Amino acid sequence: MTDETRSAGTEPGRPGKHAADAAPDTSSASTDAPAPRAGEDTTGPSDAAHPADDVATVALDEATREQAAERADEHIDNLAAEGPGLMPDGEGSIVEQLAHMSPEELAEREAEVAEVVAPDREIAVEVGDTLLAMDEVTMRFGGLVALDSVSFGIRRGEILGLIGPNGAGKTTCFNALTGVYRPTSGRVLLEGQPLGRRSRHQITRLGIARTFQNIRLFGEMTALENVVVGADARHKTSVVGALLRLPRHHREERAAIDRAMALLEFVGIAGRAAEKARNLPYGDQRRLEIARALATEPKLLCLDEPAAGFNPAEKDNLMGLIHKIREDGYTVLLIEHDMRLVMGVTDRIVVLEFGRKIAEGLPHEIRENPAVIAAYLGVPDDATA
C-alpha cells in the first residue's frame, strides 16, 4: 500500500462518517507522541531515522483540532444534502431499491452505474492503436530463462488472451509489465513511453492495474473499503490535507465511496458492501478484486486467471462481466487456462511456451495452429525423430 493510501485514514479515536474511515490511520500516529520537556534537545539521530515524524510539525491544540473536525463533519453533511448519488442512504438500501425497480428503471440504473464506472482519464492513443507493447523482453532468474525475447502489443479497446501450458511464463510476463519484476533486457512501453525502472505504485498511477492468481484482499476490511483503497490511487490530497480533514479530502473521499459503490454494483456484489472481505464467498472475492483494480481507473486491466475455481455457470457470468468491462471503455489482458472461456471472450490470443512466443492471432487461428496443439497435447515420438 502506498503512502498516499495510508494517509487516507481518519483521526485516531474519532469514529469516521464513511466506510473508508474504518481503515487504520498510520500517517497521524506521530501526533500521539508526548511533547518534549522544556529545555530538552529535540534533534538527534532518531529524527533522521523517522523522517515521517516531520508531519508532527503541523501541531494543533485540542480546541483547533475539534473545530477542524466539526467543519469537516459539517462539510460531509452538506455533501449529503446535495443528493445521495449512487451511494446508499442506509444499510441494504441499494439492494432493496434494485429489488423493487421495474425493467425500465433497472436499465436506467445500469446506464447510470456504467457512466460512473467508465474511466475518466486521458489516453494518448486512439481505439485500435497499440496501448502497451512488450519489446523483446527477456527475464532471467540465474540460469533460468523465464521469458525469452517476447514481443507483442495490446491494442486499446481489445481483450487480449495470454495462454500457454503451466510454466510457460504467463505470470512472469504479467509481473514484468506491472513492475513486480524488472526485465533483464528489452522494454515495456505504455502509450509509446518506456516504463523503465518505475515502481509498482507509479505504474498503477500511469494506468496498469491487475488481479492475482491467489486472491489478495484486505480481509479485515469491508468490500466497500477494499474498493475505496483502489480509488485512492487517483487521489491528489496531501498527507497534511488528510490529517487536517480539509474539504478537498472529503470531496475525494465522497467521490471514492460513490464510485466504489457503483463498482460493487457493476460487478454484481453491491449487497455485500458492508461485509468483511474474508467472509465473502470465493466467487465474490474474485469479483471484488476486479472491482478494486477498476477503481484505479486503469488504461489496461490485467486479469490473472480470474476463473480459477469457478464452476461452469460462474465462468459464463464472468465472460459477461469481462465483455461489460470492455464495453465500458477498458482494455483487458487476460491469462486463463479455460480454453472455452478464452475462445469465447478474447479478440486476439498470444501463446507462450517455455518463455517463448509460439503463436499470435485470432481465436479460430490459434485453435487450429499446429504449434499450439503440440504445446498443449504433445506430439508423437516419431514426429520428433
Side-chain angles (χ1 to χ4, degrees), residues 8 21 48 51 87 113 121 124 323 329 376:
D21 291 337
M87 184 175 156
V113 169
R121 64 187 302 171
H323 276 301
Y376 275 92

Side-chain angles (χ1 to χ4, degrees), residues 106-361:
L106 283 172
E108 183 179 346
R109 173 73 182 187
E110 185 175 345
E112 185 181 4
V113 169
E115 183 178 353
V116 173
V117 170
D120 183 21
R121 64 187 302 171
E122 183 178 347
I123 301 179
V125 300
E126 299 296 328
V127 174
D129 292 340
T130 299
L131 175 66
L132 182 135
M134 301 279 286
D135 181 20
E136 296 291 325
V137 171
T138 296
M139 192 76 234
R140 290 190 180 92
F141 300 96
L144 174 66
V145 181
L147 293 176
D148 189 358
S149 299
V150 173
S151 296
F152 63 86
I154 305 170
R155 301 165 189 160
R156 179 182 173 186
E158 78 171 344
I159 302 173
L160 179 72
L162 184 63
I163 67 172
N166 287 329
K170 303 182 298 295
T171 297
T172 301
C173 188
F174 256 39
N175 289 337
L177 66 87
T178 55
V180 177
Y181 300 148
R182 291 196 177 98
T184 307
S185 64
R187 300 184 302 167
V188 180
L189 300 99
L190 179 66
E191 298 176 303
Q193 301 299 316
L195 295 181
R197 300 180 65 83
R198 288 184 173 89
S199 62
R200 278 171 278 183
H201 76 272
Q202 290 173 325
I203 290 174
T204 299
R205 283 184 174 273
L206 285 176
I208 300 177
R210 68 170 295 179
T211 63
F212 294 86
Q213 251 180 303
N214 300 315
I215 295 173
R216 299 185 186 181
L217 296 170
F218 300 106
E220 294 301 317
M221 296 171 69
T222 66
L224 179 64
E225 290 166 347
N226 268 274
V227 183
V228 169
V229 167
D232 186 73
R234 303 290 298 153
H235 288 178
K236 299 179 180 178
T237 301
S238 65
V239 174
V240 173
L243 287 172
L244 298 182
R245 302 168 65 88
L246 297 179
R248 181 180 189 176
H249 167 63
H250 286 290
R251 283 196 301 271
E252 291 189 334
E253 185 181 52
R254 170 58 187 248
I257 294 173
D258 202 36
R259 179 172 169 77
M261 280 305 306
L263 281 163
L264 290 175
E265 188 172 340
F266 184 78
V267 301
I269 56 172
R272 300 188 180 275
E275 295 185 31
K276 287 187 176 182
R278 62 179 173 83
N279 295 333
L280 297 181
Y282 178 81
D284 288 348
Q285 290 185 2
R286 285 285 183 190
R287 289 175 174 267
L288 176 57
E289 204 174 32
I290 293 174
R292 185 179 62 183
L294 288 172
T296 68
E297 297 185 54
K299 299 173 183 177
L300 174 65
L301 175 65
C302 304
L303 304 177
D304 193 352
E305 298 191 26
F310 279 15
N311 61 40
E314 290 172 328
K315 289 179 181 179
D316 287 340
N317 291 334
L318 177 64
M319 288 174 64
L321 175 59
I322 294 174
H323 276 301
K324 187 164 71 167
I325 290 170
R326 191 263 297 278
E327 290 167 2
D328 212 34
Y330 292 96
T331 304
V332 180
L333 174 60
L334 171 70
I335 289 180
E336 185 51 60
H337 282 293
D338 188 303
M339 287 299 101
R340 187 180 70 88
L341 187 150
V342 171
M343 295 296 173
V345 80
T346 57
D347 301 305
R348 292 188 306 121
I349 298 175
V350 172
V351 187
L352 299 180
E353 183 186 26
F354 298 121
R356 295 181 178 179
K357 186 179 81 171
I358 62 171
E360 179 177 354

